[in-house]
């Protein structure tokens, strides 16, 4: 039993193998008491802070003048009564007021996992794997009920939260804010770790001491975005990769979001994540319900490495689905940087022949195969092959690529439409737009209104027909601009505030249909690289193109930042040609290979541009990737050096049976006349003895943990090294 309720104390204790999460109902309100390392099962009421500071605050009707909602550690704070801090929930009533004052009315504990309707979610493979607590809170005057769900994955050390709001009243209400999770820690000496970035430089990690007031990350871009990624971490100032208290919240959603940390005047820290509330207004008629996306909460007592390890395992094993969940992904060669728009069947087939000889298993035809698209200003929406480039259609190309020894993958940007397309000429009303306002273009394109079923059906049919025709085994699903003019022609005026979220419900429904129809197809998400790299897409697409920046050195930061939450198998990483197309820099081939060996490996180059020696390195890299197989796909990953603190990045993978280790170090800038460097491994099993496959050297687990591995000396700028160790 991972969920324990005490009727005497009205306390809920949620236990995982390593953690406990405690709440208590006090004066009908749900109060947060504790989230941290595992506690014995007992009454923890002494953790309450009953010495409230209520001056100036609204008091409760119980006439306890010392009691205030504004200082209580709330589990799901709502706007309108006495709570003055950032809220998790706001609604508007028919008479125009905005107030919600939900009180506890009951709960139930069930085996298994509850899922939010129409949204991506973590799953349990058996009822024993997960237990769900549903707490019911009611705003009595309106009869609006909040169902707070806590799904406890005991073995994964994770709690998955989401909220269902149900209108049990007689009148419409408008939901203006519906966050997935919020909680108040009675700690103030914390640091916040979040990320920021932009196209081609995604997910830079930023860590700072929290201050009184609100610090926020968010997206209002209609996508999780390059700017901030939907995860938030709080930690002890002294937390490192292996020690310290660390609290994480990640949203399983791909659209606009907000993540907030608020330190109040009484040294309590609120942490919350959920749907972006700006522009959000959802009509909830009597009898209707609305579910929030899931938020995944992970606490680690073992520092940031422990937190990442728990996220990686859960996301890899209980969020990703399908045949590729547990399989090494095929080695692919994507033709984008090899050809851009300039290709035809002959060119792709010749690349396939050359690549197949070096072990490549899949050739991906990127943008430009359809309509009349020779540059990025037309044809999105017209998903029929360009006969000038592909005279035999997708079928003809697929047959020839297969004869060359590779499978065929193909690029789509399904959610977009070019003004210069047959689709737009036929269906201008299918675009997200607002009457009387310009339809803004971004990269020459507009966005289809995926909240519409007819649009979803059109896309399903178009994509299904191409997949079927070519027996396609991989789809790269791109999304290359942010939202603007978010309006739908089908929805009424008072429902326009629903469009952005309905769009994502439509997208998820479409992806679900495609996954079911084509279970053998590997889908990869992309959004100008990592502009929609989030947990929401992982159930449908177990990997994402991490960034359009393929420079091995710049990738160190991008992959480092992504690895705080996302498993390596979800990061697609390719070896590209030098000088690099984004930075103009040149890195040794081995450095490019070792940086790209992150789980979903491939190439982004024309093999005819390689010399003999590079071709040999190419083939050797493919063999190494195949040999490492499961280790990269399922192994445990540890960050061993922060590239912002050292002149090199280092990491390792450890096999599930702990007998195999693959460690990599990449020097991103040289230190002239510097000293020798070493880095320590962690997570190794005491008593194990490893032999290096590279040079035969023997190391004990204790040596690797206490002393570590020595970097080559001197290590040149952009040089990389690896150690492949096996227990003997
Ligand atoms: C985006 C992707 C690239 C490529 C281009 C094609 O920018 O991130 O990998 O597919 O679109 O237009």
């Amino acid at each position: 039993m991972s969920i324990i309720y005490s009727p005497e104390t009205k306390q809920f204790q949620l236990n995982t193998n390593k953690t406990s999460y405690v709440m208590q109902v006090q004066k009908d309100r749900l109060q947060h008491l504790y989230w941290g390392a595992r506690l014995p099962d007992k009454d923890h009421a002494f953790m309450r802070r009953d010495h409230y500071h209520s001056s100036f605050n609204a008091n409760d009707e119980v006439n306890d003048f010392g009691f205030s909602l504004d200082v209580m550690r709330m589990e799901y704070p709502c706007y309108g009564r006495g709570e003055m801090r950032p809220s998790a929930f706001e609604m508007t009533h028919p008479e125009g007021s905005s107030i919600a004052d939900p009180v506890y009315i009951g709960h139930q504990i069930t085996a298994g996992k509850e899922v939010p309707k129409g949204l991506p979610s973590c799953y349990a493979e058996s009822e024993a794997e997960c237990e769900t607590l549903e707490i019911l809170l009611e705003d009595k005057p309106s009869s609006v009920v909040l169902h707070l769900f806590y799904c406890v994955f005991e073995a994964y050390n994770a709690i998955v939260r989401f909220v269902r709001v149900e209108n049990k009243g007689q009148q419409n209400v408008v939901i203006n804010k519906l966050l997935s999770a919020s909680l108040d820690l009675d700690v103030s000496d914390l640091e916040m770790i979040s990320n920021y970035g932009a196209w081609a430089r995604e997910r830079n990690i930023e860590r700072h001491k929290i201050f009184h007031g609100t610090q926020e990350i968010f997206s209002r871009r209609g996508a999780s975005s390059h700017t901030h990624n939907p995860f938030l971490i709080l930690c002890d100032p002294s937390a490192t990769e292996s020690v310290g208290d660390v609290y994480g919240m990640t949203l399983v959603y791909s659209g606009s979001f907000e993540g907030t940390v608020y330190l109040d005047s009484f040294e309590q820290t609120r942490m919350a994540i959920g749907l972006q509330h700006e522009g959000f207004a959802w009509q909830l008629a009597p009898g209707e319900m609305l579910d929030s996306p899931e938020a995944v909460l992970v606490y680690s007592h073992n520092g940031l490495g422990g937190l990442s390890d728990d996220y990686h395992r859960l996301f890899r094993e209980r969020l990703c689905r399908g045949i590729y969940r547990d399989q090494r992904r095929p080695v692919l060669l994507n033709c984008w940087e090899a050809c851009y728009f300039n290709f035809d069947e002959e060119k792709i087939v010749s690349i396939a022949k050359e690549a197949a000889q070096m072990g490549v298993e899949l050739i991906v035809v990127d943008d430009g195969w359809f309509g009349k698209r020779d540059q990025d200003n037309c044809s999105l929406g017209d998903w029929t092959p360009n006969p000038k480039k592909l005279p035999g259609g997708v079928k003809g190309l697929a047959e020839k690529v297969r004869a060359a020894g590779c499978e065929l993958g193909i690029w789509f940007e399904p959610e977009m439409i070019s003004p210069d397309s047959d689709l737009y000429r036929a269906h201008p009303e299918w675009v997200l737009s607002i009457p009387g306002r310009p339809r803004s273009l971004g990269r020459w394109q507009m966005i289809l209104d995926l909240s519409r079923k007819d649009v979803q059906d059109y896309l399903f049919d178009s994509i299904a027909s191409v997949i079927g025709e070519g027996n396609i085994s991989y789809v790269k699903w791109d999304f290359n601009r942010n939202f603007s003019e978010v309006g739908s022609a089908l929805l009424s005026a008072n429902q326009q505030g629903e469009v952005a979220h309905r769009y994502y419900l439509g997208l998820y429904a479409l992806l679900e249909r495609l996954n079911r129809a084509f279970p053998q197809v590997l889908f990869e998400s992309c959004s100008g690289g990592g502009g929609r790299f989030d947990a929401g897409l992982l159930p449908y697409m177990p990997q994402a193109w991490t960034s359009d920046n393929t420079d091995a050195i710049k990738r160190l930061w991008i992959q480092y930042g992504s690895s705080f939450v996302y498993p390596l198998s979800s990061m697609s990483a390719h070896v590209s040609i030098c000088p690099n197309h984004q930075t103009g820099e040149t890195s040794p081939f081995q450095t490019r290979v070792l940086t790209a060996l992150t789980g979903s490996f491939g190439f982004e180059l024309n093999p005819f541009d390689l010399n003999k020696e590079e071709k040999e390195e190419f083939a050797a890299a493919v063999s190494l990737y195949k040999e490492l197989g499961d280790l990269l796909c399922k192994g445990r990953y540890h960050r061993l050096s922060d590239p912002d603190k050292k002149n090199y990045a280092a990491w390792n993978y450890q096999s599930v049976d702990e007998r195999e280790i693959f460690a990599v170090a990449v020097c991103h800038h040289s230190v002239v006349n510097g000293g020798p460097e070493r880095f320590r491994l962690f997570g190794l099993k005491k008593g194990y003895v490893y032999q290096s496959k590279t040079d035969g050297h023997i190391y004990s687990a204790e040596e690797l943990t206490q002393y570590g591995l020595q970097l080559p000396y001197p290590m040149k700028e952009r040089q990389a090294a690896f150690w492949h160790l096996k227990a003997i």
Side-chain angles (χ1 to χ4, degrees):
M1 284 266 290
S2 47
I3 300 172
I4 299 152
Y5 175 68
S6 155
E8 294 78 45
T9 58
K10 292 195 173 172
Q11 175 186 287
F12 298 95
Q13 179 161 346
L14 282 46
N15 294 325
T16 69
N17 283 350
K18 295 190 199 153
T19 69
S20 292
Y21 187 106
V22 185
M23 298 169 276
Q24 193 184 32
V25 177
Q26 191 197 0
K27 299 191 201 291
D28 295 336
R29 302 313 199 295
L30 187 63
Q31 178 173 210
H32 181 84
L33 284 193
Y34 174 84
W35 183 27
R38 175 85 189 238
L39 296 176
D41 303 337
K42 69 179 273 298
D43 173 15
H44 306 291
F46 79 95
M47 294 180 185
R48 274 185 356 217
R49 284 184 165 191
D50 283 346
H51 34 87
Y52 294 102
H53 311 265
S54 71
S55 54
F56 268 78
N57 296 345
N59 297 129
D60 195 76
E61 72 270 24
V62 291
N63 279 339
D64 177 349
F65 293 120
F67 177 82
S68 165
L69 291 176
D70 196 33
V71 285
M72 192 171 188
R73 269 183 288 150
M74 302 298 287
E75 190 58 25
Y76 198 66
C78 295
Y79 176 75
R81 184 82 195 277
E83 168 67 83
M84 303 296 169
R85 296 164 292 179
S87 63
F89 179 79
E90 293 176 19
M91 66 176 162
T92 309
H93 300 278
E95 87 285 0
S97 68
S98 295
I99 181 164
D101 183 25
V103 293
Y104 171 83
I105 54 166
H107 73 271
Q108 55 173 333
I109 297 170
T110 48
K113 164 85 174 50
E114 179 70 22
V115 291
K117 305 268 177 306
L119 285 160
S121 56
C122 298
Y123 58 90
E125 287 209 322
S126 71
E127 286 209 331
E129 254 183 27
C130 182
E131 200 174 12
T132 297
L133 166 66
E134 177 184 1
I135 298 180
L136 292 119
L137 308 176
E138 184 178 6
D139 177 58
K140 297 259 180 185
S142 66
S143 301
V144 168
V145 174
L146 299 173
H147 306 245
L148 309 188
F149 288 98
Y150 297 80
C151 309
V152 184
F153 284 87
E154 202 170 352
Y156 288 90
N157 295 311
I159 297 175
V160 176
R161 282 183 64 175
F162 73 94
V163 180
R164 174 168 298 152
V165 47
E166 180 181 10
N167 186 353
K168 288 191 157 183
Q170 303 298 319
Q171 291 184 293
N172 269 20
V173 290
V174 182
I175 309 303
N176 302 106
K177 187 170 184 183
L178 178 64
L179 297 191
S180 301
S182 176
L183 57 87
D184 292 342
L185 302 167
D186 58 349
V187 194
S188 59
D189 187 16
L190 290 170
E191 291 186 350
M192 171 173 166
I193 299 178
S194 60
N195 62 91
Y196 71 95
W199 174 79
R201 50 181 179 86
E202 298 90 338
R203 290 176 291 287
N204 298 282
I205 290 294
E206 198 155 52
R207 178 169 172 168
H208 62 82
K209 185 169 168 40
I210 61 167
F211 53 81
H212 290 94
T214 302
Q215 35 254 276
E216 192 187 12
I217 54 163
F218 64 89
S219 163
R220 292 175 195 142
R221 295 166 186 272
S224 46
S225 91
H226 298 92
T227 316
H228 298 292
N229 195 272
F231 71 79
L232 262 187
I233 296 171
L234 287 176
C235 66
D236 273 350
S238 58
T240 65
E241 281 293 335
S242 53
V243 295
D245 290 327
V246 185
Y247 310 83
M249 273 190 184
T250 302
L251 194 67
V252 185
Y253 192 62
S254 314
S256 298
F257 75 94
E258 58 190 67
T260 306
V261 170
Y262 176 78
L263 175 58
D264 72 17
S265 300
F266 302 102
E267 309 312 314
Q268 307 180 111
T269 305
R270 176 161 295 173
M271 182 183 196
I273 203 162
L275 288 175
Q276 169 61 237
H277 80 283
E278 208 160 288
F280 181 78
W282 191 284
Q283 300 288 329
L284 203 68
E288 285 184 347
M289 296 194 238
L290 173 67
D291 286 358
S292 79
E294 288 187 341
V296 179
L297 278 62
V298 169
Y299 161 83
S300 160
H301 188 55
N302 303 113
L304 294 158
L307 177 105
S308 300
D309 193 38
D310 286 333
Y311 270 122
H312 290 183
R313 273 194 316 127
L314 183 80
F315 284 180
R316 208 171 49 221
E317 297 173 12
R318 294 295 178 269
L319 182 60
C320 292
R321 311 175 296 184
I323 57 168
Y324 282 102
R325 186 188 81 172
D326 300 322
Q327 248 183 57
R328 170 179 79 69
R329 314 283 160 77
V331 182
L332 65 82
L333 187 146
N334 181 300
C335 296
W336 178 240
E337 289 196 12
C339 316
Y340 294 104
F341 292 103
N342 181 21
F343 64 86
D344 58 16
E345 183 188 276
E346 200 185 323
K347 191 165 178 183
I348 301 290
V349 173
S350 66
I351 290 176
K353 283 185 185 153
E354 191 70 10
Q357 285 175 28
M358 296 184 286
V360 167
E361 297 161 310
L362 174 75
I363 294 293
V364 180
V365 183
D366 209 277
D367 196 353
W369 59 269
F370 51 91
K372 52 169 185 156
R373 190 157 162 105
D374 287 326
Q375 47 177 311
D376 60 6
N377 62 0
C378 68
S379 300
L380 293 172
D382 298 344
W383 301 110
T384 45
N386 178 342
K388 284 197 201 133
K389 289 181 178 174
L390 305 181
V394 170
K395 185 166 190 277
L397 175 68
E399 281 166 4
K400 289 188 181 155
V401 166
R402 223 164 275 129
C406 291
E407 292 298 316
L408 182 67
I410 204 157
W411 180 96
F412 284 96
E413 198 180 351
E415 298 156 74
M416 298 292 160
I417 181 166
S418 308
D420 181 6
S421 66
D422 293 341
L423 185 65
Y424 189 66
R425 284 180 280 274
H427 289 291
E429 77 286 6
W430 279 10
V431 166
L432 284 182
S433 60
I434 297 175
R437 293 192 181 266
R439 297 179 166 201
S440 306
L441 300 182
R443 206 199 192 200
W444 302 104
Q445 61 207 47
M446 294 181 275
I447 305 178
L448 283 169
D449 175 4
L450 263 87
S451 70
R452 298 175 64 125
K453 180 74 170 53
D454 47 5
V455 170
Q456 294 166 31
D457 289 345
Y458 171 80
L459 291 175
F460 178 83
D461 292 343
S462 312
I463 297 165
S465 127
V466 175
I467 294 178
E469 196 187 315
N471 198 8
I472 297 294
S473 56
Y474 160 103
V475 167
K476 178 175 171 188
W477 185 292
D478 216 335
F479 175 89
N480 280 321
R481 64 158 289 188
N482 293 149
F483 278 18
S484 63
E485 295 98 27
V486 186
S488 170
L490 279 193
L491 292 173
S492 59
N494 67 359
Q495 283 189 293
Q496 294 299 318
E498 300 175 13
V499 177
H501 184 53
R502 283 187 185 275
Y503 179 98
Y504 275 94
L505 295 174
L507 174 65
Y508 294 136
L510 171 61
L511 289 168
E512 186 73 45
R513 253 168 105 185
L514 285 163
N515 278 177
R516 279 173 202 266
F518 302 102
Q520 78 288 0
V521 173
L522 172 61
F523 286 83
E524 172 167 329
S525 70
C526 175
S527 172
R532 213 167 50 177
F533 191 126
D534 54 62
L537 287 176
L538 286 181
Y540 317 98
M541 314 201 235
Q543 62 191 53
W545 180 223
T546 314
S547 176
D548 273 348
N549 192 336
T550 59
D551 183 299
I553 298 303
K554 301 293 180 223
R555 273 287 180 124
L556 295 177
W557 278 266
I558 297 167
Q559 293 171 187
Y560 174 83
S562 308
S563 77
F564 277 74
V565 163
Y566 303 107
L568 290 207
S569 56
S570 67
M571 288 187 224
S572 166
H574 299 168
V575 176
S576 61
I577 205 75
C578 279
N580 179 269
H581 287 195
Q582 292 77 42
T583 62
E585 303 287 347
T586 295
S587 306
F589 203 87
Q590 164 153 295
T591 302
R592 286 177 268 157
V593 167
L594 290 174
T595 309
L597 274 178
T598 53
S600 296
F601 178 70
F603 296 86
E604 192 89 10
L605 50 73
N606 188 338
F608 292 103
D609 292 338
L610 302 176
N611 61 33
K612 188 168 167 289
E613 197 183 304
E614 287 171 327
K615 282 186 185 168
E616 282 164 15
E617 289 189 82
F618 184 121
V622 174
S623 308
L624 178 61
Y625 173 71
K626 290 179 181 169
E627 183 193 334
L628 293 173
D630 258 11
L631 181 63
L632 299 187
C633 173
K634 297 188 202 158
R636 289 193 144 157
Y637 166 83
H638 301 288
R639 291 174 296 272
L640 303 175
S641 166
D642 175 348
D644 278 327
K645 295 205 175 122
K646 291 275 186 186
N647 68 328
Y648 63 93
W651 61 91
N652 81 326
Y653 319 84
Q654 187 181 12
S655 60
V656 180
D657 67 5
E658 302 179 325
R659 299 188 63 79
E660 191 176 357
I661 290 165
F662 189 73
V664 177
V666 182
C667 173
H668 54 76
H669 74 266
S670 59
V671 178
V672 178
N673 196 23
E677 292 273 6
R678 63 185 159 98
F679 62 90
R680 303 207 283 195
L681 273 56
F682 61 91
L684 305 192
K685 201 163 194 151
K686 274 191 188 152
Y688 273 33
V689 174
Y690 298 90
Q691 181 160 33
S692 163
K693 284 197 68 186
T694 344
D695 61 11
H697 193 93
I698 290 182
Y699 302 93
S700 66
E702 289 75 8
E703 283 175 312
L704 293 169
T705 309
Q706 303 305 331
Y707 180 83
L709 289 163
Q710 285 179 337
L711 264 68
Y713 182 77
M715 206 168 178
K716 295 202 196 87
E717 192 151 311
R718 293 184 174 256
Q719 187 186 338
F722 74 93
W723 297 259
H724 190 182
L725 311 174
K726 284 202 169 165
I728 47 174

